[in-house]
Amino acid sequence: MAPVPCGFFDTRPKVSRDFVFGRDGEIEEIKRLLNNSFWPVILGPRRVGKTTVMRVVINELGGIYIDASTITGLKGLGLRLIDEVKRLNIKVKLNLAMLQLDIERRPMVTIEGLIRKLGDVVIGIDEIQNIISPKLPSLLSVAYNESRVRFIFSGSLVGTTRLIMKSPESLGRPLIRFELKPFTREQSIEFLRISSRNCGINISDIEIENAVNEFDGIVGWLTYYGSLRSSGKSHPEAMEALRSIAKEVIKDELSKLGRYELVTYRALATLSRARWIEIKRLAESLIGHSIDDKTFTTGLKALVNMYMVREVERGIYEVIDGYMARLVREYGV
């Protein structure tokens, strides 16, 4: 049975603050930055609610949201932007049908022209790291210098900021990195307690504690657990169902890693927290041969950049999503 959405436990990204728990401060701060002409870049691990925070901000400011997870270049970005302008019925003194044809021939120039005419509009681009184009920084520079459009970005890569800034001194765009973190243990408990009460679901304190211990503050896992409970599943049934779902999700995410990134993550998932040399030795044992220092360090830094791993002290690393690491460790996902 598919989970039944219930307010806070709706697994889809939310657009109303009414069903967002514990992020009022972040939402207000991002709105303040935008209102002061800064361009926030929301960064953080997967499943901590970056898309939800962005969509709530855009909804409250009457802006345009673009999901770039399936966009690979400027042409795709331009077509999606035109579609959203039409869907939202934003008044612009341009022939949008002609712009759609122009995008095929001159994507950069066409998008620049549209942005200049949009007026004071907020545009949110989610997962912007997927738009691979050397012209993207120049396009954003034109938007900053020659239009009233304000941008908000999100991504799961630290390198997202480098991608869109590239040359901050010459482009002059005031980008602000804004890191969204997992819930604390106390926030996780309150989230499940308040949300279950609002949804009319009876989840005991012991079950809440057990779920919080398992999901390590990752909002997405907590939300999916609550959604499964709201569909009528008992605590053991919801935990088992989520385990099956999560294994498939994690398997897909790991399949996108490079060979050395994958073995390094598996090593650290086994160790949970360890020094550089300890992770390297276990990674070499798992892969069956030695790994030179530079190659290993590059793979480890890539995992840090993807917010899968963090450096807690100099030379000491740990996984960010403990539930993901546990499934990798226990089931060999």
Side-chain angles (χ1 to χ4, degrees):
M1 180 189 301
V4 177
C6 177
F8 290 115
F9 290 149
D10 190 341
T11 57
R12 298 166 296 184
K14 301 165 183 69
V15 296
S16 170
R17 199 193 296 224
D18 293 343
F19 299 114
V20 178
F21 175 87
R23 297 299 194 196
D24 279 344
E26 289 90 339
I27 290 168
E28 287 303 319
E29 175 64 12
I30 291 170
K31 287 174 66 176
R32 186 187 67 79
L33 290 170
L34 284 165
N35 288 332
N36 283 280
S37 299
F38 291 99
W39 292 4
V41 184
I42 307 174
L43 300 166
R46 293 182 183 278
R47 292 175 287 275
V48 294
K50 298 187 298 297
T51 297
T52 284
V53 168
M54 173 185 275
R55 297 205 69 167
V56 169
V57 168
I58 290 169
N59 183 50
E60 293 186 358
L61 295 178
I64 297 170
Y65 170 77
I66 294 176
D67 178 3
S69 60
T70 58
I71 297 174
T72 57
L74 289 185
K75 185 166 70 173
L77 174 62
L79 290 171
R80 193 71 59 81
L81 180 57
I82 292 169
D83 285 344
E84 287 302 305
V85 169
K86 291 165 64 177
R87 186 180 69 83
L88 296 169
N89 199 28
I90 296 173
K91 302 302 180 184
V92 57
K93 294 180 179 179
L94 290 169
N95 186 325
L96 296 179
M98 287 300 298
L99 287 186
Q100 285 180 309
L101 296 175
D102 289 342
I103 281 285
E104 298 293 332
R105 298 182 294 110
R106 303 183 304 165
M108 177 83 167
V109 174
T110 305
I111 298 171
E112 287 176 356
L114 176 56
I115 286 174
R116 286 190 185 100
K117 296 290 186 179
L118 277 177
D120 187 12
V121 173
V122 174
I123 299 177
I125 305 181
D126 200 2
E127 300 294 351
I128 191 172
Q129 73 271 6
N130 292 300
I131 303 176
I132 303 168
S133 171
K135 295 181 178 180
L136 182 60
S138 297
L139 172 64
L140 297 177
S141 180
V142 169
Y144 178 69
N145 292 314
E146 301 180 24
S147 81
R148 297 173 63 202
V149 167
R150 292 165 289 160
F151 279 94
I152 174 173
F153 308 101
S154 84
S156 298
L157 296 173
V158 174
T160 296
T161 48
R162 291 194 293 271
L163 169 72
I164 55 183
M165 290 180 77
K166 192 152 188 182
S167 179
E169 295 79 15
S170 62
L171 299 180
R173 285 175 281 106
L175 271 76
I176 300 292
R177 282 179 51 168
F178 191 98
E179 185 173 343
L180 203 62
K181 297 181 179 179
F183 281 168
T184 64
R185 178 177 177 79
E186 292 72 23
Q187 284 177 312
S188 299
I189 290 171
E190 278 302 293
F191 169 66
L192 289 181
R193 183 173 290 147
I194 291 172
S195 300
S196 61
R197 186 186 309 138
N198 288 341
C199 291
I201 308 163
N202 182 25
I203 305 180
S204 71
D205 287 345
I206 292 176
E207 291 170 341
I208 288 174
E209 291 273 348
N210 182 256
V212 168
N213 290 340
E214 189 83 1
F215 303 130
D216 208 24
I218 300 298
V219 185
W221 298 137
L222 292 163
T223 301
Y224 221 112
Y225 166 78
S227 188
L228 287 162
R229 292 301 304 269
S230 71
S231 74
K233 292 186 181 296
S234 67
H235 176 70
E237 289 171 338
M239 297 294 279
E240 181 58 35
L242 181 50
R243 194 171 296 119
S244 298
I245 294 165
K247 284 193 286 187
E248 292 305 311
V249 170
I250 292 167
K251 187 183 300 182
D252 179 65
E253 292 175 2
L254 294 180
S255 72
K256 296 177 174 65
L257 297 180
R259 184 185 183 201
Y260 292 110
E261 295 165 1
L262 178 59
V263 73
T264 300
Y265 184 81
R266 290 191 183 281
L268 190 52
T270 300
L271 298 167
S272 294
R273 176 186 288 206
R275 297 184 180 277
W276 182 93
I277 188 61
E278 296 167 335
I279 307 166
K280 182 173 183 287
R281 285 172 179 163
L282 182 53
E284 289 174 331
S285 174
L286 292 173
I287 205 169
H289 61 75
S290 63
I291 306 172
D292 70 79
D293 289 355
K294 184 177 180 180
T295 299
F296 175 76
T297 298
T298 298
L300 184 57
K301 284 184 177 178
L303 294 173
V304 172
N305 284 341
M306 287 183 275
Y307 282 96
M308 296 178 70
V309 166
R310 62 183 156 223
E311 187 174 14
V312 288
E313 297 176 39
R314 186 172 177 80
I316 300 177
Y317 298 85
E318 69 177 8
V319 294
I320 291 178
D321 185 340
Y323 183 60
M324 177 175 177
R326 192 173 303 117
L327 294 185
V328 169
R329 185 168 60 246
E330 294 177 2
Y331 296 97
V333 175

